Amino acid sequence: MELNVLLVSLLPMNEELFSASNAIKDIRLFEKALDRAKEREDDYSIKVYIYDNNLGYMAGVISKRSNVQLHNRDFEIHNEDNYPPVVWFWDRDEQVILVENRSSIFSSAAVAAKTFSNISNNIVLAESGLRAHVHPKLIESAFWETFESFKYVNEVRFNLAAPNMFGSTKKEIGEFLHEVVDETNASEFSPVFKNQDGNLNLKPSGWLNAMVDWVKEGAGNWSIKGRNRHKDRYKSISSQQRAKLLVIDGSITEVELENYKPSDIAEIVEMLRHRYTYKK
């Protein structure tokens, strides 16, 4: 069984109104939004089998409507809606969704992330003045090795998803990105460093390492533009934007999941957490 890792962040829709209302920033609102989404009647369907509010675990199935052609007794063709179930788990401590990798339903991790974003941004979050941002966790290549491979660096560009605001990742990632988000209410942050002469000089520091680490944890990407000789053309190398995929032995069907207890879900998530955690 393969699982995509999706990162969840919550941001105010309007920072001024949010601050004025004294609303509570709590990731559990995202959980309530997922639970509320089971009432949808559109192209998406989600079912929550486990919702442990105390420990912060959830599990269920999700799908997108497809159309299948069937034959009746008289061999006449008719169309039926089909919702193939895709298993998912929620880890509150890491603010991560683990969703079964089934490309026949969700063609990529990005499509799965967009689906969870669509269904969770409902009345529950809207009434609290919040919006959920869901992104696949990515695997990237080594930043400093790439930077040092060039003799002349002209540009370094970062594209960063907003950090999880309400989870335990704040201490691990650092204060810098959170200050940017708190002050701007941005869902994405894209700093660019340039030196037209190719003499860009970046060295490891707290704020720069925070950005590199954030990309390393799968919440963004970077690109470096440089060359090794003055007569060469500039070459751009980017971080690898490959979705993080967890491979586990065996499989879990929706029938099995329906009979699981909260302790079973906790055991599964805790067994996998070391493979995607921010807490190094």
Side-chain angles (χ1 to χ4, degrees), residues 146-147 149-157 222-238:
T146 303
F147 183 85
S149 70
F150 291 115
K151 186 174 182 180
Y152 305 102
V153 177
N154 171 267
E155 178 183 293
V156 172
R157 181 183 300 267
W222 50 255
S223 64
I224 300 175
K225 184 178 175 183
R227 61 186 177 185
N228 287 308
R229 296 182 300 176
H230 283 297
K231 64 179 182 179
D232 294 339
R233 291 186 176 181
Y234 279 107
K235 177 182 178 181
S236 183
I237 298 179
S238 300

Side-chain angles (χ1 to χ4, degrees), residues 191-232:
V192 180
F193 307 90
K194 287 186 178 182
N195 183 294
Q196 298 297 335
D197 297 324
N199 295 322
L200 189 62
N201 183 26
L202 293 183
K203 296 181 180 179
S205 62
W207 57 268
L208 184 55
N209 285 337
M211 292 192 288
V212 173
D213 288 345
W214 195 239
V215 174
K216 187 177 180 180
E217 295 302 336
N221 58 78
W222 50 255
S223 64
I224 300 175
K225 184 178 175 183
R227 61 186 177 185
N228 287 308
R229 296 182 300 176
H230 283 297
K231 64 179 182 179
D232 294 339

Side-chain angles (χ1 to χ4, degrees), residues 15 31 49 60 97 100 117 119 123 132 155 161 191 212 219 221 253 274:
E15 180 64 39
E31 299 170 4
Y49 289 135
I97 300 168
E100 183 181 6
S117 180
I119 67 172
I123 189 65
E155 178 183 293
V212 173
N221 58 78
T253 68
H274 73 280

Side-chain angles (χ1 to χ4, degrees), residues 78-96:
H78 65 283
N79 295 322
E80 290 286 348
D81 289 340
N82 186 35
Y83 291 85
V86 177
V87 173
W88 60 269
F89 306 96
W90 165 249
D91 180 355
R92 180 195 294 167
D93 191 52
E94 296 286 335
Q95 294 184 201
V96 157

Side-chain angles (χ1 to χ4, degrees), residues 20-188:
S21 67
N22 294 319
I24 299 174
K25 299 177 180 179
D26 194 332
I27 193 61
R28 286 175 292 186
L29 289 170
F30 176 77
E31 299 170 4
K32 293 179 180 179
L34 279 185
D35 189 54
R36 181 68 172 269
K38 62 190 178 185
E39 302 173 7
R40 296 174 66 97
E41 295 182 359
D42 55 12
D43 287 343
Y44 300 101
S45 180
I46 186 170
K47 192 167 186 177
V48 178
Y49 289 135
I50 301 293
Y51 184 3
D52 189 330
N53 185 52
N54 292 326
L55 296 178
Y57 297 111
M58 298 178 74
V61 291
I62 189 172
S63 190
K64 183 177 181 180
R65 178 168 57 191
S66 60
N67 191 269
V68 295
Q69 289 188 336
L70 302 175
H71 293 81
N72 62 18
R73 187 178 181 84
D74 297 321
F75 304 105
E76 296 173 335
I77 296 176
H78 65 283
N79 295 322
E80 290 286 348
D81 289 340
N82 186 35
Y83 291 85
V86 177
V87 173
W88 60 269
F89 306 96
W90 165 249
D91 180 355
R92 180 195 294 167
D93 191 52
E94 296 286 335
Q95 294 184 201
V96 157
I97 300 168
L98 304 176
V99 58
E100 183 181 6
N101 182 38
R102 294 187 63 185
S103 57
S104 59
I105 295 96
F106 301 123
S107 58
S108 67
V111 173
K114 185 177 180 180
T115 299
F116 274 97
S117 180
N118 287 340
I119 67 172
S120 62
N121 283 300
N122 53 37
I123 189 65
V124 173
L125 293 183
E127 288 181 342
S128 299
L130 295 168
R131 181 166 184 81
H133 297 264
V134 186
H135 303 274
K137 180 181 176 68
L138 305 176
I139 300 174
E140 54 87 47
S141 55
F143 175 83
W144 289 112
E145 285 82 350
T146 303
F147 183 85
E148 293 171 0
S149 70
F150 291 115
K151 186 174 182 180
Y152 305 102
V153 177
N154 171 267
E155 178 183 293
V156 172
R157 181 183 300 267
F158 288 89
N159 293 298
L160 307 170
N164 293 337
M165 294 182 67
F166 315 129
S168 58
T169 63
K170 188 167 185 177
K171 293 181 180 179
E172 286 72 27
I173 297 302
E175 299 289 339
F176 173 71
L177 294 180
H178 293 273
E179 290 177 359
V180 172
V181 172
D182 290 341
E183 292 178 6
T184 65
N185 195 31
S187 61
E188 294 184 4

